[in-house]
Amino acid sequence: MSASSYPEISFEARMATVEFRIDEDRAHITVDDTICRDCSTRGCITACPANLFVPTAAGGILFNYEQCFECGTCYLVCNREGAITWTYPEGGHGVVFHRS
Amino acid sequence: MLVAACVKLVDLRPQVDRVSGAVTPSATPGCSAADRAAVELALTLADSWSASSAVVCCGPAAADPVLREFAASGAGRLVRLDVDGAPDSSIVGRLLAGVLGDLGADVVVCGDYSTDRGSGSVPAWVADGLGAAQALGLVQVRSEGVGSLRATRRLDGGRRERLVVDAPCVVSVEGSLAELRRAPLAAALAARDLPIEVVDAPGVVVPAPLATRPWVPPTRVQPAPTGSAALERVVELTGALVERTPPRTVELPPRQAAELILEQLRTWGYLDADDSTPGGTAAT
Amino acid sequence: MSDFDVVVVGAGPAGSAAAIELARAGRSVCLLERGPSPGSKNMYGGVVYGRILDTLVPAWWEQVPVQRWVTRRSTMLIHDEQALTVDFRNPGWGAAPFNGATTFRPDFDAWLAGVAVDAGAVLVCSTTATGLIREGGRVVGVRTDRPDGDLRAPVVIACDGVNSFLAKEAGMYPHTGAENFTVGVKETIALPREVIDERFAVRGDEGVDIEILGCTGDVPGGGFVYTNATSVAVGLVLSLPALAAGPDRPEELLRRLKAHPAVAPLVEGGEVLEYSAHVIPEAGYRMMPELVGDGILVAGDAAAMCLAAGIWLEGVNFAIGSGAAAGRAATRALARGDASAAGLAAYREMLESGFVLADHRRLRDAPHLVMGDLAQRGLPAVACGVMEDLFTVRNPEPKQGVRRIVRNRMRRNGIRVRDAVREGLRAVRTFG
């Protein structure tokens, strides 16, 4: 057995293991917050593996695109037409897996 | 007029064990963000001055695909100094200066330092070898007409230094300065088989990598204290009663402060009493 | 004017296999990849079954970048703290022609793309295909996000992964509801080779693949643990609608799996090297898009060719099989000068007569069965309960008969015999 032991890591540390080549110029996900205000399910909040969607006190959704796995979960679970606009990031940008 | 960028092939994702500090190389070679910013700046300057551009790399053949990527983005010439292993920065700097001199580079742009524990000294060595002006660690560069740059340099404490640099010059830039432009598809396709000018670097002796181990402070021989009583020996060991010059804090304008420092150095014997201008001209 | 004979979008296993076939047939083929290198956007749930490579790359096992050869395959049913494992070992899988291998997808995909490049394909990385170029309803190329990025070719092969925006744009993908998809999340955890050998009871380059049922709480899905050379991968596959309904997030469910008494001794104590996630086209045959259009073929995950059938979890082999078939069909169509849907129709025929669609059609009900309540909750609970009753010696109480134990356990878990028999028959029909 190895002498060193690693405890369960925080979500930030978990995401820090992944390489993201961030496109500073363009967000490949956009969320139309006004549609989300009427949404009762908000599946994106629990389903997104990267935890990119956060509810705001004002009833909207705050999102970030930088640490996106580009998996597509959010737009697939979104039941509000047009709330999430999702494309792939510009070529060469976005997530880069190494040990997957 | 030729604007050249110098880049280095580095391991972009080395694995460092957090416990032992052991470094495992990855299979992701490439150029650092700073080097890519340097290429972008070189291309931008060449465009705005209607000058030609070149990318020069000191490294192994594995760098060729990365160099071709720069050609796809618009670099005019690709030159690789064929060197295996990791020669000392001073050697790399002199080799690069030789090649850049042969190319006739007027402005040389480098990344500020390589990400594989680089010291950032290669650009300075290149400037020395070329006898060119240098401006290192730039965060912003603007063209002030052909062959002239206005640059901003990062200083400690959030301060900035503004410089005007004229060709011939060597500048090094931070990675945040610019992002390398996207290559057009046709150029990316055409660049795949582009030949690269390979320059031999004969006589380069790459020293074997130093064995690394944890740093241990060097030991010094201390004579045993001579006092007969324990208290005396402790006092002697700690130097509590030895006379010393207490540290002095002064606040003076720069010129007077410099004078004071020189005076002190003379007092201590580090400078000759008649030596009033140590180390060339004072910088402003 | 065409830039290439064929543009293959996506340098994953499907795209590279298609490019290999085309390049070897003397066709000019452009292999587009949106990542900085092939495989950099891909992750998977564990094992590549390489026999499909026999025809593409003879003696592939001598060059493929492998972590370990799977010689031990376990299926684990988890209920609360209990676990029942069916464990099969076959040292024969550890020698040529081998069976399953664990590998890192960035390594494997880059290797296969390298084979395509060696065959003459033109690989262009860091380039996202943003849409199709169409003329008169026929696909004649793709648009990319590079400046002057249009690429024209009589045939486009869309191997652009599970989200296949190209197949969707071509109107070939009607089944895009969340119920057809799962999301896989995975941690790769560093452990010394000797520790892995000891924990998983293997030697040398032998590896282990463990599929787990009943470990995903209220979310239908499954789990997996498998060994790399000096790391283990532990992950979950989770149904999207249930995950979206909450309240548990993927990493919390993964934490619970890692803490389970049957799993923790295998994976604990290592540093997490990488966390990854990817969507899986779970519903297989039932969600498949149209495979052939005018000037376009769809292969791999883009065509939902991922087999998530409980005891069989395969994808890379189907991707390679379908990609190679697409490459051969495109070669034939180009030779005849007919890249219309009719000219490319051989693609579907090849898949129908081969394993790709045969397996998928046979197992078309499997995903539904495996994600059903009985398989997800009932089976692990009853199986573990039966084991507990069978092997707990309650002297001086006498032993109970097996039939009675099973009946009791089914009743306690609210499973009616009628339902169990019905699902059992469906399982026999599906898997038999």
Side-chain angles (χ1 to χ4, degrees):
Chain A
M1 201 23 238
S2 64
S4 54
S5 173
Y6 298 78
E8 187 70 19
I9 53 175
S10 71
F11 194 78
E12 288 69 29
R14 172 185 299 278
M15 295 307 290
T17 63
V18 193
E19 182 186 1
F20 295 99
R21 299 189 184 172
I22 297 164
D23 186 350
E24 312 280 358
D25 303 327
R26 186 182 77 101
H28 67 280
I29 309 173
T30 53
V31 176
D32 186 347
D33 198 45
T34 53
I35 300 177
C36 303
R37 281 169 209 279
D38 305 328
C39 177
S40 55
T41 49
R42 300 185 163 201
C44 54
I45 295 173
T46 50
C48 172
N51 205 4
L52 298 181
F53 298 86
V54 180
T56 61
I61 295 270
L62 189 69
F63 76 101
N64 92 43
Y65 71 94
E66 286 93 344
Q67 294 195 314
C68 175
F69 287 123
E70 298 154 38
C71 69
T73 298
C74 56
Y75 83 86
L76 286 167
V77 301
C78 180
N79 59 359
R80 295 295 169 121
E81 197 67 40
I84 297 180
T85 314
W86 199 96
T87 58
Y88 287 131
E90 188 177 77
H93 289 92
V95 67
V96 181
F97 290 130
H98 296 275
R99 292 187 174 79
S100 53
Chain B
M1 174 73 71
L2 175 72
V3 186
C6 295
V7 297
K8 180 183 185 184
L9 188 76
V10 291
D11 189 343
L12 291 179
R13 296 271 300 178
Q15 192 72 25
V16 183
D17 189 288
R18 282 175 213 171
V19 178
S20 69
V23 178
T24 316
S26 78
T28 330
C31 286
S32 66
D35 281 1
R36 296 169 72 85
V39 174
E40 174 61 30
L41 177 62
L43 296 177
T44 310
L45 294 177
D47 284 351
S48 67
W49 297 343
S50 305
S52 46
S53 60
V55 176
V56 183
C57 171
C58 181
D64 288 358
V66 186
L67 289 177
R68 291 198 179 97
E69 206 185 308
F70 296 136
S73 289
R77 283 179 78 174
L78 303 178
V79 183
R80 182 169 61 78
L81 252 163
D82 194 33
V83 172
D84 257 329
D88 190 74
S89 292
S90 60
I91 299 173
V92 173
R94 289 203 184 104
L95 286 171
L96 284 173
V99 172
L100 291 161
D102 292 345
L103 288 175
D106 303 284
V107 174
V108 179
V109 194
C110 307
D112 54 355
Y113 54 86
S114 64
T115 48
D116 51 353
R117 298 199 282 185
S119 60
S121 62
V122 166
W125 284 109
V126 172
D128 182 53
L130 290 173
Q134 55 170 307
L136 307 184
L138 305 179
V139 291
Q140 212 175 42
V141 177
R142 224 175 50 218
S143 165
E144 290 273 280
V146 176
S148 181
L149 300 172
R150 177 176 284 271
T152 308
R153 197 162 89 94
R154 192 192 291 279
L155 296 181
D156 289 348
R159 292 188 176 83
R160 294 285 184 273
E161 184 180 34
R162 293 206 176 78
L163 307 158
V164 176
V165 201
D166 292 327
C169 63
V170 177
V171 299
S172 79
V173 298
E174 291 191 3
S176 58
L177 181 121
E179 195 177 349
L180 183 66
R181 61 191 67 181
R182 297 268 287 159
L185 189 59
L189 288 169
R192 289 180 317 117
D193 309 312
L194 215 63
I196 287 171
E197 300 166 47
V198 179
V199 180
D200 281 333
V204 174
V205 182
V206 178
L210 297 171
T212 50
R213 41 165 206 225
W215 185 78
V216 180
T219 52
R220 284 183 300 175
V221 179
Q222 285 280 38
T226 50
S228 54
L231 182 64
E232 285 171 28
R233 291 196 295 272
V234 169
V235 166
E236 195 183 331
L237 272 178
T238 56
L241 301 179
V242 177
E243 197 186 339
R244 67 183 185 116
T245 320
R248 199 151 51 110
T249 308
V250 290
E251 273 193 40
L252 289 171
R255 178 167 288 278
Q256 279 93 312
E259 286 297 332
L260 194 69
I261 291 170
L262 291 176
E263 185 55 46
Q264 188 64 56
L265 289 173
R266 280 186 210 106
T267 313
W268 284 333
Y270 290 108
L271 290 178
D272 292 338
D274 56 345
D275 190 358
S276 58
T277 54
T281 51
T284 49
Chain C
M1 209 40 236
S2 291
D3 302 296
F4 289 91
D5 289 333
V6 180
V7 172
V8 179
V9 181
S16 291
I20 290 170
E21 289 282 7
L22 283 156
R24 286 189 183 158
R27 291 293 168 183
S28 68
V29 50
C30 182
L31 186 55
L32 284 182
E33 168 59 42
R34 68 188 182 91
S37 62
S40 57
K41 302 285 182 184
N42 295 346
M43 70 80 95
Y44 75 145
V47 181
V48 173
Y49 296 95
R51 291 304 300 277
I52 182 65
L53 285 168
D54 285 356
T55 50
L56 281 181
V57 189
W60 50 273
W61 52 83
E62 288 168 6
Q63 32 173 313
V64 70
V66 161
Q67 292 287 319
R68 285 177 188 252
W69 297 103
V70 175
T71 58
R72 185 178 167 203
R73 206 176 184 296
S74 304
T75 303
M76 187 187 281
L77 299 177
I78 281 181
H79 176 65
D80 292 339
E81 291 208 309
Q82 303 171 338
L84 164 65
T85 308
V86 180
D87 185 25
F88 178 66
R89 279 172 175 273
N90 181 11
W93 288 341
F98 298 98
N99 184 42
T102 60
T103 171
F104 293 135
R105 285 292 297 281
D107 297 347
F108 180 84
D109 292 9
W111 167 76
L112 196 60
V115 175
V117 169
D118 289 344
V122 175
L123 172 67
V124 185
C125 291
S126 299
T127 308
T128 305
T130 50
L132 296 166
I133 305 172
R134 283 195 273 192
E135 276 171 12
R138 170 189 287 243
V139 175
V140 293
V142 294
R143 299 190 194 289
T144 73
D145 64 349
R146 282 195 188 264
D148 306 322
D150 285 7
L151 261 187
R152 298 175 79 89
V155 181
V156 171
I157 303 182
C159 307
D160 51 341
V162 59
N163 286 304
S164 188
F165 291 114
L166 294 188
K168 284 173 191 166
E169 187 186 337
M172 299 160 83
Y173 217 134
H175 308 288
T176 53
E179 66 281 0
N180 294 310
F181 296 92
T182 51
V183 62
V185 292
K186 176 170 101 173
E187 273 180 21
T188 308
I189 300 169
L191 284 173
R193 183 180 273 279
E194 320 77 75
V195 174
I196 295 175
D197 288 354
E198 206 167 296
R199 288 184 184 183
F200 290 86
V202 286
R203 297 280 175 273
D205 54 5
E206 292 177 337
V208 181
D209 172 31
I210 307 174
E211 312 290 351
I212 308 169
L213 204 57
C215 58
T216 48
D218 292 333
V219 181
F224 56 83
V225 176
Y226 63 84
T227 56
N228 297 315
T230 56
S231 62
V232 296
V234 51
L236 291 173
V237 173
L238 302 163
S239 156
L240 282 193
L243 192 61
D248 293 321
R249 290 191 35 79
E251 69 276 5
E252 167 59 18
L253 294 170
L254 185 55
R255 187 194 62 74
R256 282 184 218 161
L257 173 65
K258 282 168 66 188
H260 189 276
V263 176
L266 300 176
V267 302
E268 69 191 358
E271 181 194 10
V272 176
L273 290 178
E274 193 169 79
Y275 182 54
S276 51
H278 210 280
V279 161
I280 303 161
E282 183 80 12
Y285 193 75
R286 296 241 183 250
M287 68 180 290
M288 268 186 199
E290 284 174 49
L291 302 175
V292 182
D294 281 325
I296 184 169
L297 297 173
V298 188
D301 263 13
M305 282 161 187
C306 197
L307 189 68
I311 53 173
W312 293 297
L313 297 169
E314 302 167 22
V316 174
N317 50 339
F318 286 97
I320 295 171
S322 60
R328 288 197 300 273
T331 307
R332 236 187 262 181
L334 288 166
R336 283 204 306 265
D338 178 9
S340 68
L344 292 166
Y347 175 46
R348 184 158 191 117
E349 288 153 25
M350 286 180 203
L351 296 183
E352 299 264 8
S353 59
F355 74 105
V356 176
L357 281 185
D359 284 357
H360 268 103
R361 188 181 311 105
R362 175 198 288 265
L363 293 165
R364 61 190 178 276
D365 288 328
H368 189 70
L369 263 177
V370 174
M371 287 301 199
D373 211 37
L374 199 71
Q376 287 288 321
R377 294 164 185 278
L379 182 63
V382 171
C384 289
V386 168
M387 289 299 139
E388 185 184 356
D389 290 349
L390 267 181
F391 297 124
T392 308
V393 180
R394 292 197 173 84
N395 297 345
E397 264 181 54
K399 293 198 189 308
Q400 297 177 315
V402 175
R403 250 192 344 210
R404 186 161 163 214
I405 291 176
V406 172
R407 215 167 42 231
N408 276 344
R409 280 292 172 175
M410 282 176 63
R411 194 180 307 131
R412 272 170 66 179
N413 285 289
I415 297 169
R416 290 184 302 181
V417 177
R418 202 170 3 134
D419 295 338
V421 169
R422 199 187 56 228
E423 290 281 296
L425 283 175
R426 275 180 67 189
V428 168
R429 267 204 309 276
T430 299
F431 293 103

